[in-house]
Amino acid sequence: QVQLVESGGGLVQAGGSLRLSCAASGSLFYKVNIRAWYRQAPGKQRELVATITSGGDTNYAESVKGRFTISRDNAKNTVFLQMNSLKPEEAGVYYCNTPTGGVRWGQGTQVTVAS
C-alpha cells in the first residue's frame, strides 16, 4: 500500500498563496499513481480539485482554473499544488490521492483563508 503525507497548509489572507506538497511512500505501484488533489470543506463532500497525468497533462476544477497549478516530481513521487489568489470558500482540508481516490487517505493539510 501507500502512505500519504500532505503538508504546506496554513492560514492565509484572501488573495494570498500557498504551496501544498504530498509525499508518497510505500508500494511503487501505488506511489506513481498519486496524481490528484482533493479538497473537503467543512460540512461538504470531498471534491476533486486537480489532476496530472504521467505525461504531464493537467486538469482542474472549473473554479480554480488559472489560479491553481498541480505539478509532480516523478523522481521523488511528490505532488504539489500551487494555489494563488485564494478565496475564503476554498478553505478546507486538502488531500492527495489517485485520480479516483483509490488508496487510503492521508490526514490532509488544513487551509484556512481569512476574508
Side-chain angles (χ1 to χ4, degrees):
Q1 274 289 349
V2 64
Q3 294 76 45
L4 303 174
V5 178
E6 300 92 347
S7 61
L11 172 63
V12 64
Q13 293 290 322
S17 298
L18 285 172
R19 187 176 190 242
L20 308 183
S21 298
C22 165
S25 60
S27 167
L28 180 62
F29 176 81
Y30 292 104
K31 284 193 297 186
V32 297
N33 290 309
I34 305 304
R35 302 180 173 280
W37 282 98
Y38 296 77
R39 173 175 65 223
Q40 186 165 23
K44 295 187 177 181
Q45 288 191 331
R46 191 175 287 144
E47 60 177 341
L48 183 63
V49 174
T51 61
I52 184 168
T53 69
S54 57
D57 293 329
T58 57
N59 194 33
Y60 300 93
E62 195 64 35
S63 62
V64 308
K65 283 182 180 178
R67 298 184 297 114
F68 288 17
T69 302
I70 186 172
S71 59
R72 196 174 195 283
D73 182 334
N74 291 322
K76 297 182 179 179
N77 287 305
T78 302
V79 185
F80 305 97
L81 186 67
Q82 176 67 43
M83 306 187 295
N84 298 329
S85 302
L86 278 160
K87 303 175 181 180
E89 57 265 34
E90 293 171 333
V93 182
Y94 283 71
Y95 302 87
C96 59
N97 208 298
T98 71
T100 58
V103 301
R104 178 177 293 184
W105 297 91
Q107 293 194 340
T109 185
Q110 177 72 50
V111 171
T112 304
V113 184
S115 57

